[in-house]
Amino acid sequence: MTIKEVARIAGVSIATVSKVINGCDEHISEATRERVRAVVAKYNYIPNSVARGLKTRKSKIIGILLPDITNPYFPQIVRGIEDAANLRGYGVVFCNTGDNPDREVECYNFLRSKMVDGIIFTRSLKRSARNRVLTEDLPAVVLDRVERDDRADKACGKVYVDVRRTMYDATMKLFQAGCGEIACLSAASDSKSDRFLGYLRALETLDLPYDKSYVFLDKFTEDTGYRGAKAVLEHHPETDGLVCGNDLIAIGALQALSELERQVPRQVKVIGIDNIYFSNFTTPPLSTMGQPTYTMGEAAASMLIDHLEYGKPLFECVFDHEYIQRQTV
Amino acid sequence: MTIKEVARIAGVSIATVSKVINGCDEHISEATRERVRAVVAKYNYIPNSVARGLKTRKSKIIGILLPDITNPYFPQIVRGIEDAANLRGYGVVFCNTGDNPDREVECYNFLRSKMVDGIIFTRSLKRSARNRVLTEDLPAVVLDRVERDDRADKACGKVYVDVRRTMYDATMKLFQAGCGEIACLSAASDSKSDRFLGYLRALETLDLPYDKSYVFLDKFTEDTGYRGAKAVLEHHPETDGLVCGNDLIAIGALQALSELERQVPRQVKVIGIDNIYFSNFTTPPLSTMGQPTYTMGEAAASMLIDHLEYGKPLFECVFDHEYIQRQTV
DNA sequence: GTGAAAGCGCTAACAA
DNA sequence: TTGTTAGCGCTTTCAC
């Protein structure tokens, strides 16, 4: 069913049909309007948004570029984006970049060729094609993993939580809970190792000595947590606190601790970051610094759409983490 | 950058440019071809696939309709679909229907209006608008949650694992591991309660009596597992096996068991279905009937694309579950 | 109030 | 070997 057929059946011109389906029908007589509406309803006509997009130069689609939907950090964000977008009449298409900078630009090109109106971008952890992706004229908001130079870049929005500060607060939490020998398990490559720096700064504030054998940096995976916890505990059996760069790492650490027969939280306290869905269900349930992922997704989408629709400027939107007390601290 | 500009800069007609970017350039001289390629590369020209789609009547996009990407069962499937699709030059756009039949048809209309070439559909658990979605001419493959009548419908493909059989096997597993008082925790509304029927049939085979107070059916959530385990154990403290309709339920059950201070697997054995990512990380790690989710996604995408590209018929593709022995059985 | 016509960027006959 | 042209379904002036 096309606009042409609707027009023919309703006995009007396609221009008229176009006007009524788009609500630009002030100058259409009630009778005609009704006639068109009836045909549209009867045949369940749905305007072809590809054709419309070609004509209007906007697709009402926003593109999402993210490393891997399989990573439990992302689904909530995507839902937040999608829900907010749908509410405002936008659709969403997303691409997994697989944490691969080359795929990142491929995906970007794909989205461009689909004429998305803007993108929401979470870069890969590997050296990224950021410049290729963010340099262009397509409105973009960077979500999480914001980099130092992005912040200078007035051309794109940013939505994130300050992870260095989160890590700082997490370390403080452990100290306040009585830990004196706090180890840090995180990824080697988070943007400029922000998290690790948060840990360091907390140590300074606390006047605790820094010893690199208390630190294990590799990836944002359970495996890192597992190996890290084992390694640290082997050198330092007296370790009584583990700040983990994310919940995945914390989960791995919990597993190692259980094998090592350390009581959590009595002997060792553990804190994660992210509050992923499953941090509720570890044993014991994980205490963590929650990121408001769903809300961040919503915020990114709203910012982008406000920009697209009303020309509101893109801006920087920093969320606070929220401490979720469960049973590992 | 449009094809027109490329043509102007290269000093050829747009038809020529079109031919070379589409590889239909047997009849183009090497010199011209090179000239065009150079311009394309220099200006990083990317063909507008919206315009192309409008013309060719195909978008090289496949649509995915699923209940909720936030449900840990889906991300793997989506990845499987996306990877297989990308490999063959297709993109993917997905919509969360939120398990809401109305949204289901909205999403369907959205995808149609985007001219997707076909869809992969996982229906909502609520009474679904299946007919509206599967009746139309758009090629479709139903993934998981296949219903009895779908199977008669020659017009769509099906990819699933036989959950009744899975549940049957899971129950048998528990019996073989020494359980005699096996309870069933599942969702009330899985398509025709297939899982529950699998449990029943296993009981029959085993000549075990059926007692409905050993059964708790509600939703596919941890909460159901938690409440179910508590309810069953209260009536029947001697329960020594829990077959769970999915891993989420099993995880909730594990939590209840831990609160009840039942030793798993010594006193009570637990088995789940799905092998979601986190079933690895429960305490103890969950034994479960794995569904090859990633592979199922790939299979659905391949089937659909084979149909689209070569007219191969859509078919029914039944996968086997695979028992993953961990530490709860 | 309504419709004719141009054109969005591209492909595919067909003509030259 | 290359270019001209019609048209995909739609929106949007502008004329009637």
Side-chain angles (χ1 to χ4, degrees), chain A residues 46 49 68 79 82 86 94 96 103 109 113-114 222 277-278 283, chain B residues 46 49 68 79 82 86 94 96 103 109 113-114 222 251 277 283:
Chain A
I46 299 169
S49 80
D68 183 6
R79 270 295 244 161
E82 206 207 328
N86 284 340
F94 88 101
N96 291 296
R103 277 288 296 153
N109 288 341
S113 81
K114 292 300 171 203
E222 313 79 14
Y277 187 67
F278 270 88
T283 320
Chain B
I46 298 169
S49 79
D68 182 6
R79 270 295 245 161
E82 205 206 331
N86 284 340
F94 87 102
N96 292 296
R103 278 288 296 152
N109 287 341
S113 80
K114 290 301 172 201
E222 313 79 16
I251 285 167
Y277 187 69
T283 320

PDB file of all heavy atoms in Angstrom, chain A residues 46 49 68 79 82 86 94 96 103 109 113-114 222 277-278 283, chain B residues 46 49 68 79 82 86 94 96 103 109 113-114 222 251 277 283:
ATOM      1  N   ILE A  46       0.653   2.212   6.106  1.00  0.00           N
ATOM      2  CA  ILE A  46       1.737   2.758   6.914  1.00  0.00           C
ATOM      3  C   ILE A  46       2.710   3.467   6.002  1.00  0.00           C
ATOM      4  O   ILE A  46       3.258   2.852   5.091  1.00  0.00           O
ATOM      5  CB  ILE A  46       2.457   1.641   7.668  1.00  0.00           C
ATOM      6  CG1 ILE A  46       1.461   0.965   8.601  1.00  0.00           C
ATOM      7  CG2 ILE A  46       3.634   2.180   8.456  1.00  0.00           C
ATOM      8  CD1 ILE A  46       1.989  -0.298   9.198  1.00  0.00           C
ATOM      9  N   SER A  49       8.742   5.057   5.633  1.00  0.00           N
ATOM     10  CA  SER A  49       9.575   6.085   6.229  1.00  0.00           C
ATOM     11  C   SER A  49      10.912   6.217   5.529  1.00  0.00           C
ATOM     12  O   SER A  49      11.633   7.178   5.738  1.00  0.00           O
ATOM     13  CB  SER A  49       9.753   5.843   7.726  1.00  0.00           C
ATOM     14  OG  SER A  49      10.723   4.888   7.939  1.00  0.00           O
ATOM     15  N   ASP A  68      29.597  -4.133  22.906  1.00  0.00           N
ATOM     16  CA  ASP A  68      29.095  -5.507  22.924  1.00  0.00           C
ATOM     17  C   ASP A  68      27.861  -5.629  23.816  1.00  0.00           C
ATOM     18  O   ASP A  68      27.953  -5.571  25.029  1.00  0.00           O
ATOM     19  CB  ASP A  68      30.198  -6.433  23.446  1.00  0.00           C
ATOM     20  CG  ASP A  68      29.767  -7.887  23.425  1.00  0.00           C
ATOM     21  OD1 ASP A  68      28.678  -8.177  22.906  1.00  0.00           O
ATOM     22  OD2 ASP A  68      30.526  -8.722  23.936  1.00  0.00           O
ATOM     23  N   ARG A  79      18.118  -0.007  26.781  1.00  0.00           N
ATOM     24  CA  ARG A  79      16.698   0.110  27.079  1.00  0.00           C
ATOM     25  C   ARG A  79      16.319   1.541  27.404  1.00  0.00           C
ATOM     26  O   ARG A  79      15.284   2.043  26.968  1.00  0.00           O
ATOM     27  CB  ARG A  79      16.350  -0.778  28.272  1.00  0.00           C
ATOM     28  CG  ARG A  79      15.947  -2.151  27.863  1.00  0.00           C
ATOM     29  CD  ARG A  79      14.673  -2.098  27.067  1.00  0.00           C
ATOM     30  NE  ARG A  79      13.623  -2.788  27.766  1.00  0.00           N
ATOM     31  CZ  ARG A  79      12.338  -2.612  27.518  1.00  0.00           C
ATOM     32  NH1 ARG A  79      11.954  -1.738  26.618  1.00  0.00           N
ATOM     33  NH2 ARG A  79      11.455  -3.297  28.167  1.00  0.00           N
ATOM     34  N   GLU A  82      16.279   3.453  24.211  1.00  0.00           N
ATOM     35  CA  GLU A  82      15.168   3.092  23.342  1.00  0.00           C
ATOM     36  C   GLU A  82      13.849   3.624  23.882  1.00  0.00           C
ATOM     37  O   GLU A  82      13.047   4.175  23.126  1.00  0.00           O
ATOM     38  CB  GLU A  82      15.101   1.574  23.185  1.00  0.00           C
ATOM     39  CG  GLU A  82      14.439   1.180  21.875  1.00  0.00           C
ATOM     40  CD  GLU A  82      13.779  -0.171  21.932  1.00  0.00           C
ATOM     41  OE1 GLU A  82      14.268  -1.058  22.662  1.00  0.00           O
ATOM     42  OE2 GLU A  82      12.755  -0.341  21.261  1.00  0.00           O
ATOM     43  N   ASN A  86      11.631   6.175  21.776  1.00  0.00           N
ATOM     44  CA  ASN A  86      10.300   5.792  21.307  1.00  0.00           C
ATOM     45  C   ASN A  86       9.243   6.782  21.753  1.00  0.00           C
ATOM     46  O   ASN A  86       8.357   7.157  20.994  1.00  0.00           O
ATOM     47  CB  ASN A  86       9.924   4.410  21.833  1.00  0.00           C
ATOM     48  CG  ASN A  86      10.638   3.318  21.071  1.00  0.00           C
ATOM     49  OD1 ASN A  86      11.111   3.520  19.964  1.00  0.00           O
ATOM     50  ND2 ASN A  86      10.754   2.152  21.676  1.00  0.00           N
ATOM     51  N   PHE A  94      21.149  -0.264  16.472  1.00  0.00           N
ATOM     52  CA  PHE A  94      22.430  -0.335  17.148  1.00  0.00           C
ATOM     53  C   PHE A  94      23.373  -1.316  16.496  1.00  0.00           C
ATOM     54  O   PHE A  94      22.983  -2.240  15.808  1.00  0.00           O
ATOM     55  CB  PHE A  94      22.256  -0.647  18.630  1.00  0.00           C
ATOM     56  CG  PHE A  94      22.203  -2.105  18.922  1.00  0.00           C
ATOM     57  CD1 PHE A  94      23.325  -2.746  19.423  1.00  0.00           C
ATOM     58  CD2 PHE A  94      21.060  -2.815  18.690  1.00  0.00           C
ATOM     59  CE1 PHE A  94      23.280  -4.102  19.682  1.00  0.00           C
ATOM     60  CE2 PHE A  94      21.017  -4.161  18.945  1.00  0.00           C
ATOM     61  CZ  PHE A  94      22.123  -4.811  19.449  1.00  0.00           C
ATOM     62  N   ASN A  96      27.053  -3.479  17.327  1.00  0.00           N
ATOM     63  CA  ASN A  96      28.134  -3.906  18.203  1.00  0.00           C
ATOM     64  C   ASN A  96      29.453  -3.717  17.472  1.00  0.00           C
ATOM     65  O   ASN A  96      29.631  -4.248  16.384  1.00  0.00           O
ATOM     66  CB  ASN A  96      27.990  -5.395  18.532  1.00  0.00           C
ATOM     67  CG  ASN A  96      26.796  -5.655  19.411  1.00  0.00           C
ATOM     68  OD1 ASN A  96      26.735  -5.204  20.544  1.00  0.00           O
ATOM     69  ND2 ASN A  96      25.825  -6.381  18.886  1.00  0.00           N
ATOM     70  N   ARG A 103      35.937  -1.906  13.181  1.00  0.00           N
ATOM     71  CA  ARG A 103      34.492  -2.126  13.134  1.00  0.00           C
ATOM     72  C   ARG A 103      33.765  -0.852  13.516  1.00  0.00           C
ATOM     73  O   ARG A 103      32.684  -0.553  13.022  1.00  0.00           O
ATOM     74  CB  ARG A 103      34.085  -3.221  14.128  1.00  0.00           C
ATOM     75  CG  ARG A 103      34.240  -4.628  13.646  1.00  0.00           C
ATOM     76  CD  ARG A 103      33.209  -4.994  12.606  1.00  0.00           C
ATOM     77  NE  ARG A 103      31.845  -4.975  13.138  1.00  0.00           N
ATOM     78  CZ  ARG A 103      30.783  -4.743  12.409  1.00  0.00           C
ATOM     79  NH1 ARG A 103      30.904  -4.520  11.112  1.00  0.00           N
ATOM     80  NH2 ARG A 103      29.584  -4.747  12.948  1.00  0.00           N
ATOM     81  N   ASN A 109      29.872   4.174   9.483  1.00  0.00           N
ATOM     82  CA  ASN A 109      29.505   4.383   8.092  1.00  0.00           C
ATOM     83  C   ASN A 109      28.151   3.765   7.776  1.00  0.00           C
ATOM     84  O   ASN A 109      27.343   4.341   7.052  1.00  0.00           O
ATOM     85  CB  ASN A 109      30.579   3.802   7.167  1.00  0.00           C
ATOM     86  CG  ASN A 109      31.836   4.647   7.184  1.00  0.00           C
ATOM     87  OD1 ASN A 109      31.805   5.814   7.576  1.00  0.00           O
ATOM     88  ND2 ASN A 109      32.946   4.067   6.769  1.00  0.00           N
ATOM     89  N   SER A 113      25.011   5.794   6.432  1.00  0.00           N
ATOM     90  CA  SER A 113      24.364   5.481   5.159  1.00  0.00           C
ATOM     91  C   SER A 113      22.872   5.252   5.375  1.00  0.00           C
ATOM     92  O   SER A 113      22.083   5.371   4.457  1.00  0.00           O
ATOM     93  CB  SER A 113      25.022   4.273   4.502  1.00  0.00           C
ATOM     94  OG  SER A 113      24.527   3.085   5.058  1.00  0.00           O
ATOM     95  N   LYS A 114      22.503   4.927   6.594  1.00  0.00           N
ATOM     96  CA  LYS A 114      21.090   4.783   6.920  1.00  0.00           C
ATOM     97  C   LYS A 114      20.468   6.118   7.292  1.00  0.00           C
ATOM     98  O   LYS A 114      19.322   6.178   7.723  1.00  0.00           O
ATOM     99  CB  LYS A 114      20.906   3.812   8.081  1.00  0.00           C
ATOM    100  CG  LYS A 114      21.236   2.380   7.761  1.00  0.00           C
ATOM    101  CD  LYS A 114      20.346   1.858   6.639  1.00  0.00           C
ATOM    102  CE  LYS A 114      20.834   0.500   6.174  1.00  0.00           C
ATOM    103  NZ  LYS A 114      20.389   0.191   4.809  1.00  0.00           N
ATOM    104  N   GLU A 222      35.519 -11.249  34.805  1.00  0.00           N
ATOM    105  CA  GLU A 222      35.582 -12.044  36.031  1.00  0.00           C
ATOM    106  C   GLU A 222      36.963 -12.665  36.156  1.00  0.00           C
ATOM    107  O   GLU A 222      37.498 -12.816  37.245  1.00  0.00           O
ATOM    108  CB  GLU A 222      34.589 -13.206  36.061  1.00  0.00           C
ATOM    109  CG  GLU A 222      33.190 -12.858  35.660  1.00  0.00           C
ATOM    110  CD  GLU A 222      33.072 -12.772  34.164  1.00  0.00           C
ATOM    111  OE1 GLU A 222      33.986 -13.231  33.454  1.00  0.00           O
ATOM    112  OE2 GLU A 222      32.058 -12.208  33.708  1.00  0.00           O
ATOM    113  N   TYR A 277      22.842  -6.182  36.860  1.00  0.00           N
ATOM    114  CA  TYR A 277      21.701  -6.971  37.293  1.00  0.00           C
ATOM    115  C   TYR A 277      22.087  -8.094  38.249  1.00  0.00           C
ATOM    116  O   TYR A 277      21.454  -8.315  39.272  1.00  0.00           O
ATOM    117  CB  TYR A 277      21.057  -7.561  36.044  1.00  0.00           C
ATOM    118  CG  TYR A 277      19.771  -8.275  36.258  1.00  0.00           C
ATOM    119  CD1 TYR A 277      18.642  -7.583  36.657  1.00  0.00           C
ATOM    120  CD2 TYR A 277      19.697  -9.644  36.071  1.00  0.00           C
ATOM    121  CE1 TYR A 277      17.444  -8.234  36.847  1.00  0.00           C
ATOM    122  CE2 TYR A 277      18.506 -10.308  36.256  1.00  0.00           C
ATOM    123  CZ  TYR A 277      17.381  -9.607  36.644  1.00  0.00           C
ATOM    124  OH  TYR A 277      16.212 -10.253  36.841  1.00  0.00           O
ATOM    125  N   PHE A 278      23.131  -8.803  37.907  1.00  0.00           N
ATOM    126  CA  PHE A 278      23.456  -9.990  38.685  1.00  0.00           C
ATOM    127  C   PHE A 278      24.219  -9.744  39.957  1.00  0.00           C
ATOM    128  O   PHE A 278      24.440 -10.674  40.721  1.00  0.00           O
ATOM    129  CB  PHE A 278      24.183 -11.002  37.823  1.00  0.00           C
ATOM    130  CG  PHE A 278      23.197 -11.896  37.192  1.00  0.00           C
ATOM    131  CD1 PHE A 278      22.633 -11.559  35.974  1.00  0.00           C
ATOM    132  CD2 PHE A 278      22.755 -13.025  37.849  1.00  0.00           C
ATOM    133  CE1 PHE A 278      21.670 -12.351  35.412  1.00  0.00           C
ATOM    134  CE2 PHE A 278      21.786 -13.826  37.287  1.00  0.00           C
ATOM    135  CZ  PHE A 278      21.236 -13.497  36.066  1.00  0.00           C
ATOM    136  N   THR A 283      26.846 -14.599  45.880  1.00  0.00           N
ATOM    137  CA  THR A 283      26.806 -15.012  47.275  1.00  0.00           C
ATOM    138  C   THR A 283      28.102 -14.608  47.941  1.00  0.00           C
ATOM    139  O   THR A 283      29.148 -15.073  47.516  1.00  0.00           O
ATOM    140  CB  THR A 283      26.699 -16.550  47.406  1.00  0.00           C
ATOM    141  OG1 THR A 283      25.814 -17.026  46.405  1.00  0.00           O
ATOM    142  CG2 THR A 283      26.233 -16.951  48.777  1.00  0.00           C
TER     143      THR A 283
ATOM    144  N   ILE B  46      30.159   7.627   0.897  1.00  0.00           N
ATOM    145  CA  ILE B  46      29.410   6.439   1.282  1.00  0.00           C
ATOM    146  C   ILE B  46      28.018   6.525   0.679  1.00  0.00           C
ATOM    147  O   ILE B  46      27.295   7.474   0.947  1.00  0.00           O
ATOM    148  CB  ILE B  46      29.300   6.345   2.806  1.00  0.00           C
ATOM    149  CG1 ILE B  46      30.708   6.227   3.388  1.00  0.00           C
ATOM    150  CG2 ILE B  46      28.459   5.146   3.215  1.00  0.00           C
ATOM    151  CD1 ILE B  46      30.739   6.389   4.863  1.00  0.00           C
ATOM    152  N   SER B  49      22.182   4.554   1.653  1.00  0.00           N
ATOM    153  CA  SER B  49      21.453   3.303   1.469  1.00  0.00           C
ATOM    154  C   SER B  49      19.950   3.486   1.589  1.00  0.00           C
ATOM    155  O   SER B  49      19.182   2.602   1.224  1.00  0.00           O
ATOM    156  CB  SER B  49      21.964   2.233   2.421  1.00  0.00           C
ATOM    157  OG  SER B  49      21.424   2.428   3.683  1.00  0.00           O
ATOM    158  N   ASP B  68      12.639  -8.123  25.459  1.00  0.00           N
ATOM    159  CA  ASP B  68      13.384  -7.226  26.329  1.00  0.00           C
ATOM    160  C   ASP B  68      14.865  -7.585  26.338  1.00  0.00           C
ATOM    161  O   ASP B  68      15.263  -8.593  26.899  1.00  0.00           O
ATOM    162  CB  ASP B  68      12.823  -7.326  27.746  1.00  0.00           C
ATOM    163  CG  ASP B  68      13.517  -6.370  28.693  1.00  0.00           C
ATOM    164  OD1 ASP B  68      14.337  -5.566  28.225  1.00  0.00           O
ATOM    165  OD2 ASP B  68      13.237  -6.431  29.898  1.00  0.00           O
ATOM    166  N   ARG B  79      23.511 -11.102  19.381  1.00  0.00           N
ATOM    167  CA  ARG B  79      24.866 -11.091  18.859  1.00  0.00           C
ATOM    168  C   ARG B  79      25.019 -12.096  17.739  1.00  0.00           C
ATOM    169  O   ARG B  79      25.668 -11.832  16.723  1.00  0.00           O
ATOM    170  CB  ARG B  79      25.857 -11.436  19.973  1.00  0.00           C
ATOM    171  CG  ARG B  79      26.346 -10.232  20.702  1.00  0.00           C
ATOM    172  CD  ARG B  79      27.146  -9.354  19.784  1.00  0.00           C
ATOM    173  NE  ARG B  79      28.518  -9.306  20.227  1.00  0.00           N
ATOM    174  CZ  ARG B  79      29.516  -8.922  19.444  1.00  0.00           C
ATOM    175  NH1 ARG B  79      29.296  -8.612  18.186  1.00  0.00           N
ATOM    176  NH2 ARG B  79      30.727  -8.867  19.915  1.00  0.00           N
ATOM    177  N   GLU B  82      23.353 -10.712  14.721  1.00  0.00           N
ATOM    178  CA  GLU B  82      24.066  -9.585  14.142  1.00  0.00           C
ATOM    179  C   GLU B  82      25.349 -10.023  13.446  1.00  0.00           C
ATOM    180  O   GLU B  82      25.637  -9.583  12.336  1.00  0.00           O
ATOM    181  CB  GLU B  82      24.390  -8.552  15.227  1.00  0.00           C
ATOM    182  CG  GLU B  82      24.552  -7.170  14.639  1.00  0.00           C
ATOM    183  CD  GLU B  82      25.429  -6.279  15.464  1.00  0.00           C
ATOM    184  OE1 GLU B  82      25.493  -6.444  16.697  1.00  0.00           O
ATOM    185  OE2 GLU B  82      26.079  -5.412  14.868  1.00  0.00           O
ATOM    186  N   ASN B  86      25.913  -9.403   9.551  1.00  0.00           N
ATOM    187  CA  ASN B  86      26.987  -8.533   9.088  1.00  0.00           C
ATOM    188  C   ASN B  86      27.893  -9.241   8.093  1.00  0.00           C
ATOM    189  O   ASN B  86      28.288  -8.669   7.086  1.00  0.00           O
ATOM    190  CB  ASN B  86      27.837  -8.054  10.259  1.00  0.00           C
ATOM    191  CG  ASN B  86      27.138  -6.976  11.050  1.00  0.00           C
ATOM    192  OD1 ASN B  86      26.214  -6.333  10.554  1.00  0.00           O
ATOM    193  ND2 ASN B  86      27.545  -6.787  12.283  1.00  0.00           N
ATOM    194  N   PHE B  94      16.711  -3.530  15.949  1.00  0.00           N
ATOM    195  CA  PHE B  94      15.854  -4.303  16.834  1.00  0.00           C
ATOM    196  C   PHE B  94      14.961  -3.417  17.677  1.00  0.00           C
ATOM    197  O   PHE B  94      15.222  -2.252  17.913  1.00  0.00           O
ATOM    198  CB  PHE B  94      16.678  -5.234  17.712  1.00  0.00           C
ATOM    199  CG  PHE B  94      17.167  -4.616  18.958  1.00  0.00           C
ATOM    200  CD1 PHE B  94      16.525  -4.878  20.158  1.00  0.00           C
ATOM    201  CD2 PHE B  94      18.239  -3.779  18.946  1.00  0.00           C
ATOM    202  CE1 PHE B  94      16.970  -4.296  21.322  1.00  0.00           C
ATOM    203  CE2 PHE B  94      18.690  -3.203  20.098  1.00  0.00           C
ATOM    204  CZ  PHE B  94      18.044  -3.458  21.297  1.00  0.00           C
ATOM    205  N   ASN B  96      12.504  -3.581  21.270  1.00  0.00           N
ATOM    206  CA  ASN B  96      11.989  -4.247  22.452  1.00  0.00           C
ATOM    207  C   ASN B  96      10.483  -4.071  22.497  1.00  0.00           C
ATOM    208  O   ASN B  96       9.988  -2.958  22.474  1.00  0.00           O
ATOM    209  CB  ASN B  96      12.579  -3.617  23.715  1.00  0.00           C
ATOM    210  CG  ASN B  96      14.051  -3.882  23.851  1.00  0.00           C
ATOM    211  OD1 ASN B  96      14.459  -5.021  23.993  1.00  0.00           O
ATOM    212  ND2 ASN B  96      14.852  -2.841  23.778  1.00  0.00           N
ATOM    213  N   ARG B 103       2.612  -3.157  21.686  1.00  0.00           N
ATOM    214  CA  ARG B 103       3.919  -2.690  21.253  1.00  0.00           C
ATOM    215  C   ARG B 103       4.448  -3.581  20.147  1.00  0.00           C
ATOM    216  O   ARG B 103       5.140  -3.132  19.241  1.00  0.00           O
ATOM    217  CB  ARG B 103       4.932  -2.731  22.412  1.00  0.00           C
ATOM    218  CG  ARG B 103       4.897  -1.574  23.346  1.00  0.00           C
ATOM    219  CD  ARG B 103       5.448  -0.316  22.718  1.00  0.00           C
ATOM    220  NE  ARG B 103       6.866  -0.453  22.395  1.00  0.00           N
ATOM    221  CZ  ARG B 103       7.460   0.213  21.419  1.00  0.00           C
ATOM    222  NH1 ARG B 103       6.785   1.068  20.682  1.00  0.00           N
ATOM    223  NH2 ARG B 103       8.738   0.043  21.183  1.00  0.00           N
ATOM    224  N   ASN B 109       5.158  -2.504  12.715  1.00  0.00           N
ATOM    225  CA  ASN B 109       4.873  -1.453  11.748  1.00  0.00           C
ATOM    226  C   ASN B 109       6.086  -0.556  11.540  1.00  0.00           C
ATOM    227  O   ASN B 109       6.382  -0.147  10.412  1.00  0.00           O
ATOM    228  CB  ASN B 109       3.683  -0.618  12.211  1.00  0.00           C
ATOM    229  CG  ASN B 109       2.383  -1.381  12.069  1.00  0.00           C
ATOM    230  OD1 ASN B 109       2.314  -2.360  11.332  1.00  0.00           O
ATOM    231  ND2 ASN B 109       1.364  -0.967  12.795  1.00  0.00           N
ATOM    232  N   SER B 113       7.901  -0.012   8.037  1.00  0.00           N
ATOM    233  CA  SER B 113       8.021   1.301   7.416  1.00  0.00           C
ATOM    234  C   SER B 113       9.492   1.598   7.097  1.00  0.00           C
ATOM    235  O   SER B 113       9.786   2.413   6.245  1.00  0.00           O
ATOM    236  CB  SER B 113       7.446   2.383   8.321  1.00  0.00           C
ATOM    237  OG  SER B 113       8.360   2.737   9.324  1.00  0.00           O
ATOM    238  N   LYS B 114      10.379   0.899   7.782  1.00  0.00           N
ATOM    239  CA  LYS B 114      11.802   1.033   7.474  1.00  0.00           C
ATOM    240  C   LYS B 114      12.199   0.097   6.354  1.00  0.00           C
ATOM    241  O   LYS B 114      13.373  -0.044   6.033  1.00  0.00           O
ATOM    242  CB  LYS B 114      12.635   0.706   8.718  1.00  0.00           C
ATOM    243  CG  LYS B 114      12.537   1.749   9.811  1.00  0.00           C
ATOM    244  CD  LYS B 114      12.991   3.099   9.306  1.00  0.00           C
ATOM    245  CE  LYS B 114      12.706   4.183  10.333  1.00  0.00           C
ATOM    246  NZ  LYS B 114      12.650   5.523   9.746  1.00  0.00           N
ATOM    247  N   GLU B 222      13.748 -14.442  39.019  1.00  0.00           N
ATOM    248  CA  GLU B 222      14.349 -14.960  40.244  1.00  0.00           C
ATOM    249  C   GLU B 222      13.313 -14.990  41.353  1.00  0.00           C
ATOM    250  O   GLU B 222      13.300 -15.880  42.196  1.00  0.00           O
ATOM    251  CB  GLU B 222      15.503 -14.089  40.762  1.00  0.00           C
ATOM    252  CG  GLU B 222      16.514 -13.675  39.737  1.00  0.00           C
ATOM    253  CD  GLU B 222      15.983 -12.532  38.935  1.00  0.00           C
ATOM    254  OE1 GLU B 222      14.997 -11.895  39.358  1.00  0.00           O
ATOM    255  OE2 GLU B 222      16.551 -12.280  37.851  1.00  0.00           O
ATOM    256  N   ILE B 251      18.326 -19.308  39.991  1.00  0.00           N
ATOM    257  CA  ILE B 251      19.135 -18.406  40.805  1.00  0.00           C
ATOM    258  C   ILE B 251      18.343 -17.956  42.033  1.00  0.00           C
ATOM    259  O   ILE B 251      18.873 -17.914  43.149  1.00  0.00           O
ATOM    260  CB  ILE B 251      19.600 -17.215  39.951  1.00  0.00           C
ATOM    261  CG1 ILE B 251      20.714 -17.680  39.017  1.00  0.00           C
ATOM    262  CG2 ILE B 251      20.076 -16.071  40.826  1.00  0.00           C
ATOM    263  CD1 ILE B 251      21.043 -16.687  37.919  1.00  0.00           C
ATOM    264  N   TYR B 277      24.769 -16.325  30.923  1.00  0.00           N
ATOM    265  CA  TYR B 277      26.127 -15.965  31.293  1.00  0.00           C
ATOM    266  C   TYR B 277      26.407 -16.151  32.775  1.00  0.00           C
ATOM    267  O   TYR B 277      27.423 -16.696  33.180  1.00  0.00           O
ATOM    268  CB  TYR B 277      26.324 -14.506  30.897  1.00  0.00           C
ATOM    269  CG  TYR B 277      27.714 -13.999  31.038  1.00  0.00           C
ATOM    270  CD1 TYR B 277      28.722 -14.455  30.213  1.00  0.00           C
ATOM    271  CD2 TYR B 277      28.025 -13.047  32.011  1.00  0.00           C
ATOM    272  CE1 TYR B 277      30.009 -13.981  30.338  1.00  0.00           C
ATOM    273  CE2 TYR B 277      29.307 -12.554  32.139  1.00  0.00           C
ATOM    274  CZ  TYR B 277      30.301 -13.034  31.295  1.00  0.00           C
ATOM    275  OH  TYR B 277      31.562 -12.551  31.430  1.00  0.00           O
ATOM    276  N   THR B 283      26.702 -19.306  43.364  1.00  0.00           N
ATOM    277  CA  THR B 283      27.380 -20.149  44.354  1.00  0.00           C
ATOM    278  C   THR B 283      26.408 -21.190  44.851  1.00  0.00           C
ATOM    279  O   THR B 283      25.397 -20.814  45.430  1.00  0.00           O
ATOM    280  CB  THR B 283      27.857 -19.322  45.570  1.00  0.00           C
ATOM    281  OG1 THR B 283      28.364 -18.071  45.106  1.00  0.00           O
ATOM    282  CG2 THR B 283      28.911 -20.074  46.335  1.00  0.00           C
TER     283      THR B 283
END
